[in-house]
Amino acid sequence: MSEQSFEQMLNESFKTIHTGEVVEGTVISVKPDEIILNIGYKSDGVLTKNEYSNDNSIDLTQVVKEGDTMDVKVLKTNDADGQVILSYKRLALDRGNKRIEEAYNNQEVLTAKVVQVLDGGLTVVVDEVRIFIPASLVSDTYEKDLSKYEGQEIQFVVTEYNPKRRRYIGNRKMLITAEKAEQAKKLFETIGVGDVVEGTVKNVTDFGAFIDLGGADGLLHISEMSWGRVENPKKTFKVGDTVKVQIKGIDGSKIALSRKFDDENPWKDADSKYAVGNEVTGKVARMTDFGAFIELEPGIDALLHVSQIAREHIEKPSDVLSIGQEVTAKIVDFNEADRKISLSIKALTAPEQTEAEEDGDVVSVDIEKAIAEQDAE
């Protein structure tokens, strides 16, 4: 038998393969960056890491072992070294394209790991198909730093499918928006005015705090944060705090909240503590030209009119008093209905003063109006 005829017979004993064909191979050797497969051809097939996956960090010895079988796509039947070059990634990509097309047509929710964080968005891989999720579609709120998503598994839907241009766009925002809408629907079905619920501080501003109630945000206005006076909400709350609040009002999608709980109302027993004639001690909270407001306890301020500070004439309270100063005075008027208390230091220092003189010195002042006017300044 001639040498040429033996080679011909040898070649005929192996199957014929063609570029682009899908064949099954058996792993006979694995290195971190290369796999050798027996594909039933006269030459073994070589599958490099780059043709196995789009994940450059992968170690092939951790995902494949000798004896494993896999389907691969033939890229070249005889390279410069006489080897057959194979690709697992491109076969997976072909199948992945069909998978993504089905998900796109059915609006299926997909789950995949973020493999790359870019300035403009995130990249995920599904069956070797790289899908881009623009930053504007990552969340329902603007996120400047997307690095927290690196390596995380996220859910999304495919909203653009164009295999010819290799353009696959994912949308996570759509899912978040839909989920929140469902949560909001359930929330409004279960809450009512007067209910006490727990929420998480989402944002704090100069005028109040927005509380996430699990489906919708409620506004806790500065005036409803405490029975006492809150000067700066940012010193009282911080983002992430868990707070107990009461539903004060619901107007469409707007929820008004309060932390002025009835059982903590300082006016509940005020009629006995602050009866006319009682001597009390408090601190100067704020002053106007007509008088000083004395905080007797958080939530209860009393007016010390300028005419009641001393027996001698005083032009304005700040001439003799200072913010935070502790003063002792006598209750000369208590109006529970309007929640107004009037004080007099003069009544302590001048007990011999006649009732007529006292009545002449007591000046009727609308405390709430005075506070509003002062705050407006």
Side-chain angles (χ1 to χ4, degrees):
M1 182 180 294
S2 68
E3 183 175 328
Q4 183 178 5
S5 62
F6 176 77
E7 183 178 347
Q8 289 176 341
M9 291 178 61
L10 184 63
N11 289 338
E12 289 173 357
S13 67
F14 295 102
K15 65 182 180 182
T16 301
I17 62 173
H18 304 282
T19 300
E21 183 179 351
V22 177
V23 298
E24 182 181 77
T26 302
V27 178
I28 58 178
S29 174
V30 186
K31 296 178 181 178
D33 58 357
E34 184 181 79
I35 301 172
I36 306 298
L37 296 102
N38 179 358
I39 55 175
Y41 187 60
K42 62 181 180 180
S43 299
D44 290 330
V46 178
L47 176 60
T48 64
K49 181 169 71 171
N50 288 338
E51 287 299 333
Y52 180 85
S53 172
N54 281 319
D55 186 354
N56 294 327
S57 65
I58 197 169
D59 179 350
L60 295 179
T61 62
Q62 301 299 311
V63 293
V64 175
K65 64 181 184 300
E66 291 185 17
D68 285 350
T69 59
M70 64 173 68
D71 289 338
V72 288
K73 190 173 186 176
V74 178
L75 297 184
K76 191 179 290 187
T77 57
N78 189 1
D79 71 352
D81 298 322
Q83 297 175 313
V84 179
I85 306 302
L86 306 173
S87 176
Y88 176 79
K89 176 178 72 175
R90 301 188 195 193
L91 177 59
L93 182 61
D94 291 342
R95 294 172 176 172
N97 271 325
K98 294 181 180 179
R99 172 81 178 90
I100 300 304
E101 182 179 15
E102 290 175 357
Y104 169 72
N105 291 331
N106 300 326
Q107 285 294 282
E108 178 185 349
V109 177
L110 299 175
T111 302
K113 185 174 75 172
V114 175
V115 297
Q116 189 176 21
V117 176
L118 305 169
D119 290 339
L122 309 174
T123 300
V124 298
V125 175
V126 177
D127 293 341
E128 295 305 322
V129 177
R130 298 177 76 87
I131 299 172
F132 181 64
I133 304 177
S136 61
L137 300 180
V138 171
S139 180
D140 62 333
T141 57
Y142 172 71
E143 293 192 67
K144 184 178 181 181
D145 184 9
L146 298 176
S147 61
K148 68 178 182 180
Y149 292 103
E150 181 100 44
Q152 298 294 314
E153 284 200 339
I154 62 173
Q155 290 188 318
F156 59 93
V157 291
V158 178
T159 51
E160 188 174 340
Y161 173 76
N162 191 335
K164 289 183 180 180
R165 295 180 57 193
R166 295 184 180 178
R167 182 179 171 88
Y168 310 93
I169 302 298
N171 189 324
R172 181 172 177 264
K173 176 182 177 179
M174 183 185 298
L175 298 181
I176 296 174
T177 301
E179 182 181 3
K180 286 189 175 181
E182 183 61 27
Q183 290 178 341
K185 180 182 177 183
K186 291 180 180 179
L187 178 68
F188 282 103
E189 288 174 348
T190 57
I191 62 172
V193 175
D195 290 349
V196 176
V197 296
E198 273 197 351
T200 304
V201 177
K202 187 175 181 179
N203 188 27
V204 185
T205 69
D206 291 337
F207 61 83
F210 290 93
I211 312 298
D212 182 355
L213 302 177
D217 294 344
L219 173 61
L220 178 61
H221 193 267
I222 185 173
S223 62
E224 293 293 331
M225 288 185 171
S226 170
W227 284 108
R229 185 177 177 85
V230 175
E231 298 290 344
N232 186 347
K234 294 180 180 179
K235 292 183 179 180
T236 306
F237 298 101
K238 64 179 184 294
V239 174
D241 283 349
T242 298
V243 294
K244 183 174 71 171
V245 290
Q246 186 172 46
I247 307 294
K248 185 184 179 185
I250 301 175
D251 181 11
S253 61
K254 297 180 180 179
I255 305 174
L257 305 174
S258 176
R259 282 178 57 83
K260 290 183 176 180
F261 302 110
D262 289 339
D263 59 348
E264 299 173 0
N265 187 348
W267 285 90
K268 189 166 57 176
D269 302 317
D271 57 342
S272 58
K273 284 195 294 183
Y274 304 115
V276 173
N278 285 4
E279 187 177 314
V280 293
T281 299
K283 290 184 178 180
V284 178
R286 54 199 182 281
M287 288 185 282
T288 67
D289 288 343
F290 62 79
F293 289 94
I294 312 301
E295 184 182 56
L296 302 180
E297 63 177 282
I300 296 185
D301 288 353
L303 175 63
L304 176 60
H305 193 269
V306 64
S307 65
Q308 298 298 312
I309 294 176
R311 190 159 180 75
E312 64 274 11
H313 176 74
I314 294 174
E315 189 68 31
K316 55 183 183 295
S318 57
D319 290 340
V320 293
L321 299 176
S322 58
I323 299 297
Q325 179 180 341
E326 191 173 88
V327 298
T328 299
K330 180 180 285 190
I331 306 287
V332 294
D333 186 54
F334 177 85
N335 187 330
E336 185 174 11
D338 294 333
R339 293 186 174 179
K340 297 177 182 178
I341 300 175
S342 295
L343 303 176
S344 173
I345 295 177
K346 190 163 66 172
L348 292 177
T349 58
E352 71 283 356
Q353 188 174 19
T354 66
E355 185 176 335
E357 288 176 324
E358 288 185 357
D359 289 343
D361 284 335
V362 174
V363 178
S364 177
V365 176
D366 188 332
I367 297 178
E368 299 302 326
K369 181 179 179 181
I371 294 174
E373 289 176 348
Q374 184 189 22
D375 289 343
E377 294 175 358

